[in-house]
Amino acid sequence: MTSCSASRFIPEGMYMLDKVELEIDNKAVDVSLLEPYIRQKENSKWFSALKVPLGTYALAGADTTKWINRTLRKMGESPVVYDTLQAQLTCDDLSIAVGNMGYLNAKVDVETRLKGKNKLSLIYHVTTGKPFFVHSIRHDIQDDSIAALLKNVGNYGSKLRDGKLFNVNELDEERKLITSLLMDNGYYHFNKDFITFSVDSARGSQLLDVTMHIHKYREGSNASTTLHPRYSIRSVNFSGGDDGGTHLRNSVLKENTWIEEGRLFSSRDLQRTYNSFGKLPAVKYTSIRFQEVPDTDMLDCNIHVSTNKPNSISFQPEGTNTAGDFGAAVSVTYENRNMFRGAETFSVRLRGAFEAITGLEGYQNQDYEEYSVESKLSFPRFVAPFLRSSFRKNSSASSELAVSYNMQNRPEFHRRVFSSAWRYRWSNLKRTKSYKFDLIDLNYIYMPWISSTFKEEYLDNAGNRNAILRYNYEDLFIMKIGFGYSYTGDGEACRINVETAGNVLNGLSRIADFSRNGDGQYTLFNIAYAQYVKADFDYTKVIKTGALSNLAFHIGMGVAYPYGNSSVLPFEKRYFSGGANSVRGWNVRGLGPGRFRGVDGAIDFINQTGDVKLDLNMEYRVPLFWKIYGAAFVDAGNIWTLRKYEEQPGGEFDFGEFYKQIAVAYGIGLRLNFDYFILRFDMGMKAINPAYETRDEHYAIVHPKFSRDSAFHFAVGLPF
């Protein structure tokens, strides 16, 4: 029906392109590499099946003066009208592309198949012919110094080999590789146009003799040829803003400059210098210019560094809505981006919040108030003794000292949290690998007051499952050390984090014989400290299935074990399942642990937490129209506890049972992609529910009930 209604927009004697196919007689050639050369494609489909954008356009009337018709046309997609010229150009492009892959005698034919009155399908038939291989590789280098350098570095990562399938793209890669090598070894004026290739073949043979030519240097089209000049750095000079000053210490300037006097010019050192200055918060922009010293092979390097205004104050109001309770918050932040003239960033943030809480009975105060102060001092380098200067320079690093104090006054309790930390962050020069090391992270939680109503109803009420709940409303001291590693690149991302807390304090407790509380826990300043170890692993792989569509796979695992001075993990360190970034058939904190089924929403946010987590996700992402993308997903996972808690029956991890307790969900979603951020709407449905009472509830995919099995989520950003 959509095709029929859209065909009325096709002029008489023309055809709507209904389908485009690409058939190739050689399985060794990846068809996906040729698809970009197809100039005309059929109208886009939702989930590779439905031409919804075309149908939207077809709903529009012919009268474009009406806003509804203009809107439908703008939202939709006009029918693609078949163009014979575009088809012929596609054949030419495909023939060249396949030839560049080593099939020099490739042929491409186009076939049209009429469908109805004014529709047709298009099929491109690619016949590759026999492949051509590299028989020999010769080098014609007209500059002896370059020939000696290339001989010195050996293979230098060359992709050209005897016996390989001939590939024009690899010849171009070879040009780029040699150009980069030479520009890193003093050849300031060299570019890839000085490198050409000639190819000879014997008649009736699929073997090719390839000769690489590196020509002499020529400054202009009419100039005579000479040997390529090789430059060294004579001097490195710094300048700043209008007053000529850089407002940065000389040691900082030198530490971030890879270009050194007496060394050969290197384009890699030039880029590294740009990158180093670019990561400094105090630097606005950097300009690097080289000036040739007359009658010499020397260069003067002039680095102009422009800095930002050091001080800034920002004001940020907020509106809050917590379960229907409205409130407001405001924060003021002061920042100095060049504290000690070394691009150090010092910031102080003050925040205040107020919320009117309704529906609470038996409490004197019905309001929530929060006040906090947070201060950070960040150094754009490693601040640590005994580190080699080469290690400091070869890493994009930062060191941070953070201190904060948070005061919360709720109707149920008052909480005070003091935190301080010393952290390191660094990455490799390509920024594909990054590391973090929390040398020390202290958290002191103090509960000066708890409402008698809250205490009686939840903490001391034997009818409630309250062991975990009670633990999280006691004074607590956490001293942890953590390490993290992450990798991104080639459509995949991996994160590993490990942290441990309480081990140093536990050793001191035994040596110094610290006092114990009534539960047998060692205390520091009369406060029990937490002791645990926690490890997390997260991996995502994205596979392209089209120009803008892809299939994403994700696995997330975590385990945390309380021991020694703790029998329960602190609430902030426990895992939860369900929600927008987990198993989306359940609401946040609505799944697990194991087959545990929450029955009391007031305290289940505590009880539906665990020590072990598993997430398995698969999501197909496809563009729909405008900035709207669609997704279809399948999620699986759950959480478990490592110990048996009476308040969490069925939640303990068991190797023989855990796989039977893996929850499964499926669903669809919409994403509004505004490039710099993504708004996400997901609807998930339970498929297999481990916390069931009936068989229908267990296998919800066979017996779906929308009111029971659905969950809606709104979030910013992709789930993984």
Side-chain angles (χ1 to χ4, degrees):
M1 291 176 63
T2 298
S3 298
C4 291
S5 60
S7 63
R8 61 191 172 90
F9 293 98
I10 305 299
E12 188 68 27
M14 306 294 284
Y15 297 91
M16 182 172 71
L17 193 55
D18 186 62
K19 189 176 182 181
V20 179
E21 296 181 72
L22 181 61
E23 295 183 355
I24 191 165
D25 67 342
N26 192 334
K27 294 182 179 179
V29 178
D30 188 351
V31 177
S32 64
L33 298 178
L34 300 177
E35 289 178 352
Y37 296 96
I38 299 177
R39 295 181 175 237
Q40 267 196 316
K41 298 181 180 180
E42 71 269 27
N43 288 96
S44 59
K45 300 176 182 178
W46 283 21
F47 302 104
S48 302
L50 305 173
K51 295 183 179 180
V52 176
L54 175 62
T56 304
Y57 187 94
L59 292 174
D63 187 359
T64 56
T65 62
K66 295 182 178 180
W67 72 269
I68 184 64
N69 292 335
R70 294 196 305 271
T71 302
L72 289 172
R73 290 193 178 196
K74 187 175 181 180
M75 292 177 58
E77 185 179 274
S78 62
V80 179
V81 179
Y82 171 61
D83 187 334
T84 55
L85 177 60
Q86 295 298 315
Q88 184 56 52
L89 292 174
T90 297
C91 290
D92 296 340
D93 292 344
L94 287 172
S95 180
I96 294 172
V98 177
N100 288 343
M101 294 179 181
Y103 301 90
L104 302 183
N105 297 326
K107 295 181 180 179
V108 181
D109 299 312
V110 61
E111 176 188 356
T112 57
R113 294 179 182 176
L114 294 178
K115 301 177 69 176
K117 181 182 177 181
N118 56 359
K119 291 190 299 178
L120 62 78
S121 294
L122 205 59
I123 304 174
Y124 292 100
H125 298 280
V126 180
T127 305
T128 63
K130 293 182 179 179
F132 284 72
F133 295 89
V134 176
H135 176 251
S136 66
I137 301 170
R138 293 181 60 251
H139 297 86
D140 172 29
I141 304 176
Q142 300 171 17
D143 189 313
D144 293 339
S145 61
I146 291 180
L149 174 62
L150 294 180
K151 184 178 180 181
N152 243 4
V153 297
N155 211 2
Y156 56 84
S158 173
K159 293 186 177 182
L160 293 182
R161 299 283 191 282
D162 296 349
K164 284 192 66 175
L165 180 68
F166 176 77
N167 192 315
V168 172
N169 295 327
E170 289 190 357
L171 298 185
D172 193 52
E173 288 297 319
E174 187 77 3
R175 295 173 72 201
K176 294 178 182 177
L177 187 65
I178 293 175
T179 300
S180 177
L181 176 67
L182 294 178
M183 292 191 69
D184 285 338
N185 283 272
Y187 292 93
Y188 173 63
H189 286 302
F190 196 89
N191 62 71
K192 69 176 185 177
D193 291 334
F194 288 111
I195 305 174
T196 61
F197 289 91
S198 59
V199 180
D200 296 322
S201 63
R203 182 174 296 180
S205 171
Q206 276 74 51
L207 298 178
L208 302 175
D209 295 320
V210 179
T211 302
M212 181 181 69
H213 307 275
I214 299 182
H215 305 282
K216 287 185 176 181
Y217 177 69
R218 186 194 298 268
E219 191 170 357
S221 57
N222 298 323
S224 59
T225 59
T226 63
L227 297 180
H228 287 269
R230 196 178 190 186
Y231 291 89
S232 297
I233 305 299
R234 185 180 75 165
S235 64
V236 179
N237 310 301
F238 298 97
S239 62
D242 297 335
D243 59 356
T246 61
H247 306 289
L248 294 170
R249 297 194 307 271
N250 285 333
S251 60
V252 175
L253 295 172
K254 292 179 180 179
E255 188 176 274
N256 288 279
T257 302
W258 290 78
I259 303 165
E260 297 180 10
E261 296 177 359
R263 290 180 54 176
L264 291 170
F265 165 81
S266 171
S267 60
R268 181 184 299 176
D269 290 345
L270 172 62
Q271 189 58 52
R272 286 177 174 178
T273 302
Y274 271 118
N275 293 340
S276 293
F277 280 105
K279 68 181 178 62
L280 299 180
V283 175
K284 187 176 182 180
Y285 68 87
T286 306
S287 175
I288 303 176
R289 297 288 182 267
F290 292 92
Q291 185 175 356
E292 297 181 45
V293 181
D295 302 323
T296 70
D297 56 357
M298 306 291 288
L299 296 171
D300 287 332
C301 176
N302 301 308
I303 303 177
H304 181 85
V305 180
S306 178
T307 54
N308 291 303
K309 292 182 179 180
N311 300 306
S312 67
I313 297 178
S314 60
F315 175 82
Q316 182 178 354
E318 303 172 32
T320 62
N321 182 355
T322 306
D325 296 329
F326 291 92
V330 62
S331 60
V332 178
T333 304
Y334 164 77
E335 186 175 68
N336 185 315
R337 290 184 287 267
N338 197 18
M339 188 67 179
F340 307 116
R341 295 184 63 239
E344 303 89 355
T345 300
F346 173 73
S347 65
V348 177
R349 180 174 181 260
L350 303 175
R351 185 178 186 273
F354 175 84
E355 189 174 279
I357 299 178
T358 59
L360 288 178
E361 298 181 0
Y363 295 91
Q364 294 179 347
N365 189 359
Q366 297 292 310
D367 299 327
Y368 165 73
E369 296 178 1
E370 179 183 358
Y371 305 95
S372 65
V373 56
E374 180 181 9
S375 181
K376 291 182 181 179
L377 178 59
S378 179
F379 301 84
R381 56 191 173 275
F382 276 109
V383 179
F386 313 118
L387 290 179
R388 297 193 307 270
S389 59
S390 59
F391 177 78
R392 296 174 188 266
K393 201 166 189 177
N394 279 283
S395 300
S396 177
S398 66
S399 308
E400 181 184 89
L401 173 65
V403 180
S404 66
Y405 178 74
N406 181 271
M407 182 177 72
Q408 304 171 14
N409 291 339
R410 291 187 58 88
E412 307 96 329
F413 55 82
H414 291 176
R415 184 196 296 264
R416 309 289 184 261
V417 180
F418 173 79
S419 302
S420 63
W422 180 257
R423 307 183 181 101
Y424 295 103
R425 303 288 185 268
W426 72 98
S427 61
N428 64 344
L429 293 176
K430 294 183 178 179
R431 298 184 183 274
T432 56
K433 300 176 182 178
S434 61
Y435 309 84
K436 63 178 183 178
F437 177 46
D438 296 338
L439 179 64
I440 186 169
D441 193 328
L442 303 176
N443 288 272
Y444 169 55
I445 302 169
Y446 173 55
M447 305 289 295
W449 175 82
I450 297 178
S451 165
S452 57
T453 303
F454 183 78
K455 193 171 185 295
E456 291 172 3
E457 291 185 356
Y458 293 105
L459 304 185
D460 296 337
N461 186 351
N464 283 330
R465 303 177 303 277
N466 52 38
I468 298 175
L469 184 69
R470 187 186 304 111
Y471 176 76
N472 287 282
Y473 290 92
E474 297 175 350
D475 297 342
L476 185 64
F477 186 78
I478 303 174
M479 177 180 174
K480 75 178 183 72
I481 298 173
F483 177 80
Y485 164 82
S486 64
Y487 167 81
T488 56
D490 298 327
E492 61 181 350
C494 176
R495 291 193 300 272
I496 300 173
N497 289 289
V498 178
E499 67 178 66
T500 180
N503 293 328
V504 174
L505 292 177
N506 191 258
L508 292 175
S509 300
R510 297 175 184 276
I511 295 173
D513 193 22
F514 285 9
S515 60
R516 296 175 182 258
N517 60 17
D519 296 324
Q521 297 173 297
Y522 286 111
T523 62
L524 180 66
F525 308 120
N526 295 322
I527 300 173
Y529 56 84
Q531 189 173 6
Y532 64 87
V533 61
K534 183 179 182 181
D536 296 282
F537 171 80
D538 196 271
Y539 178 78
T540 300
K541 177 70 175 179
V542 179
I543 301 173
K544 291 197 66 169
T545 58
L548 295 173
S549 61
N550 55 64
L551 187 62
F553 299 90
H554 169 258
I555 177 171
M557 298 184 294
V559 58
Y561 181 66
Y563 63 97
N565 213 48
S566 298
S567 59
V568 179
L569 278 173
F571 177 72
E572 292 80 5
K573 301 300 177 181
R574 296 176 68 83
Y575 297 104
F576 64 88
S577 192
N581 299 319
S582 184
V583 187
R584 283 166 279 185
W586 280 258
N587 290 317
V588 62
R589 301 184 187 275
L591 173 61
R595 54 183 175 83
F596 170 75
R597 184 184 182 94
V599 294
D600 187 347
I603 58 174
D604 279 336
F605 76 98
I606 290 286
N607 287 314
Q608 293 200 253
T609 57
D611 310 320
V612 180
K613 181 175 183 177
L614 174 65
D615 271 334
L616 302 169
N617 312 88
M618 180 176 68
E619 183 170 282
Y620 178 57
R621 301 162 182 168
V622 62
L624 300 180
F625 62 92
W626 189 50
K627 296 183 179 293
I628 299 178
Y629 286 65
F633 56 83
V634 177
D635 300 327
N638 205 334
I639 55 172
W640 295 267
T641 61
L642 289 176
R643 298 184 180 185
K644 187 174 182 179
Y645 300 108
E646 293 183 3
E647 57 276 5
Q648 294 174 312
E652 187 178 13
F653 182 86
D654 187 319
F655 273 107
E657 294 290 328
F658 86 95
Y659 65 91
K660 301 177 184 178
Q661 300 167 358
I662 294 178
V664 181
Y666 61 96
I668 57 175
L670 290 176
R671 287 91 167 90
L672 273 68
N673 188 345
F674 295 103
D675 297 330
Y676 48 91
F677 75 97
I678 296 174
L679 297 180
R680 175 162 56 94
F681 303 87
D682 287 335
M683 185 199 74
M685 292 286 293
K686 297 179 179 66
I688 300 177
N689 186 355
Y692 61 91
E693 291 183 339
T694 65
R695 183 175 178 83
D696 288 359
E697 194 176 5
H698 187 194
Y699 297 103
I701 190 171
V702 182
H703 309 281
K705 185 178 179 181
F706 190 80
S707 60
R708 179 194 65 195
D709 301 326
S710 63
F712 292 89
H713 308 283
F714 169 73
V716 177
L718 294 174
F720 47 85

